[in-house]
Amino acid sequence: MDTQQKRLYQARKKVGLTQKQAADLAGLSLRGYVRYELEDDNNKREIPAKVLTVYAQKGININWLLTGNGEMSLSALDGDADSGAPHRLSNGLLAVGDTIFVPLSPVKACCGAGFMVYPADYSLDETVAVKRGDVGQLVEGQLPYAVETEGRSMEGYGIPQGSTVIVNPAESISSGDVIMIIVDEKAAIKKLFVKPDGEEFVASSGERIYATSAELEEGYYVRICGKVMLVISPPEHGV
């Protein structure tokens, strides 16, 4: 029986990776990766987007990997919407089916004490794969992007050290949301609390930054970049 688990095994052999190498490339523990190849009638696990990224970058037809349709390998990574190869949406994002490849910012965001811009022709090896439904609305000119984080002060809010967050500047923001801000030209991840005369940006460690409504409007000290839609934790914290 041709299963998704068997196709993942075949794809790994095709591109010449060990399970450990594939796990490392996907940012998973070896145990976490192996379970996606496990032949088990009860194994209903969907291959995560970060594993799909690894194989898309190696020239594997993601449509074949997920469904069994088409050929295993692709002669090129650029294709049309039905080929199984990553193709560009009208807004510039790379996509395969319901998986989109959001650009990874070269700047890391601090989880402790300008808006991220990326080129329209960013390449697949500079991306993080996520499901479309996880990133919110896609608005041209305000597209989501991935940012790696540093520091432990947001761990109480579910963002472990070394996580990658997906930020969407097009999503509306409310009090209590986790957001990305620029403070003195440095990116930071904080939880937002709206106050009568301004806004407070708080870390789970207790660190607080306050900005008045006038300061926020001016955008000189603190600028809000977007809402954190998804947190991808490092391997030691599970898949």
Side-chain angles (χ1 to χ4, degrees), residues 105-114 116 145-155 157 159-165 167 178-191 201-205 207-209 223 225-226 228:
S105 169
V107 178
K108 291 190 177 183
C110 177
C111 289
M116 299 302 138
Y145 51 90
V147 182
E148 296 176 336
T149 67
E150 296 178 319
R152 299 182 178 277
S153 70
M154 288 295 287
E155 289 188 340
Y157 290 145
I159 305 179
Q161 162 116 336
S163 296
T164 298
V165 297
V167 179
V178 176
I179 63 173
M180 177 171 154
I181 61 175
I182 300 294
V183 186
D184 285 342
E185 303 308 316
K186 294 181 180 180
I189 306 298
K190 303 292 181 186
K191 179 172 278 196
F201 309 96
V202 182
S204 64
S205 62
E207 177 192 352
R208 297 171 184 268
I209 299 170
R223 301 196 305 277
C225 296
V228 171

Side-chain angles (χ1 to χ4, degrees), residues 2-196:
D2 185 26
T3 64
Q4 199 174 88
Q5 293 78 30
K6 183 178 291 184
R7 290 192 296 274
L8 182 60
Y9 168 81
Q10 292 170 341
R12 180 173 57 77
K13 290 296 185 179
K14 175 70 175 179
V15 300
L17 294 175
T18 65
Q19 288 182 324
K20 180 64 166 61
Q21 288 170 331
D24 289 344
L25 289 171
L28 298 173
S29 65
L30 177 58
R31 181 179 180 183
Y33 175 85
V34 167
R35 64 182 185 172
Y36 296 110
E37 288 190 12
L38 184 63
E39 287 287 343
D40 185 340
D41 290 339
N42 296 318
N43 186 3
K44 304 299 183 183
R45 301 181 182 92
E46 182 180 359
I47 300 175
K50 52 190 173 182
V51 173
L52 297 180
T53 299
V54 171
Y55 289 99
Q57 291 172 351
K58 298 290 185 180
I60 294 297
N61 181 342
I62 300 303
N63 186 50
W64 170 84
L65 184 57
L66 294 175
T67 68
N69 297 325
E71 300 297 322
M72 179 194 298
S73 299
L74 296 165
S75 59
L77 287 178
D78 287 326
D80 59 38
D82 298 320
S83 71
H87 61 281
R88 289 195 184 275
L89 303 176
S90 60
N91 56 29
L93 288 179
L94 290 164
V96 174
D98 66 347
T99 297
I100 60 173
F101 296 84
V102 299
L104 178 63
S105 169
V107 178
K108 291 190 177 183
C110 177
C111 289
F115 189 81
M116 299 302 138
V117 179
Y118 48 86
D121 60 348
Y122 72 93
S123 61
L124 196 63
D125 59 0
E126 300 168 316
T127 67
V128 174
V130 294
K131 296 298 183 182
R132 288 195 195 193
D134 290 337
V135 301
Q137 59 182 327
L138 299 181
V139 176
E140 194 162 357
Q142 292 184 294
L143 296 171
Y145 51 90
V147 182
E148 296 176 336
T149 67
E150 296 178 319
R152 299 182 178 277
S153 70
M154 288 295 287
E155 289 188 340
Y157 290 145
I159 305 179
Q161 162 116 336
S163 296
T164 298
V165 297
I166 306 300
V167 179
N168 191 340
E171 283 292 314
S172 60
I173 296 173
S174 304
S175 186
D177 287 340
V178 176
I179 63 173
M180 177 171 154
I181 61 175
I182 300 294
V183 186
D184 285 342
E185 303 308 316
K186 294 181 180 180
I189 306 298
K190 303 292 181 186
K191 179 172 278 196
L192 167 71
F193 292 98
V194 177
K195 302 297 181 179

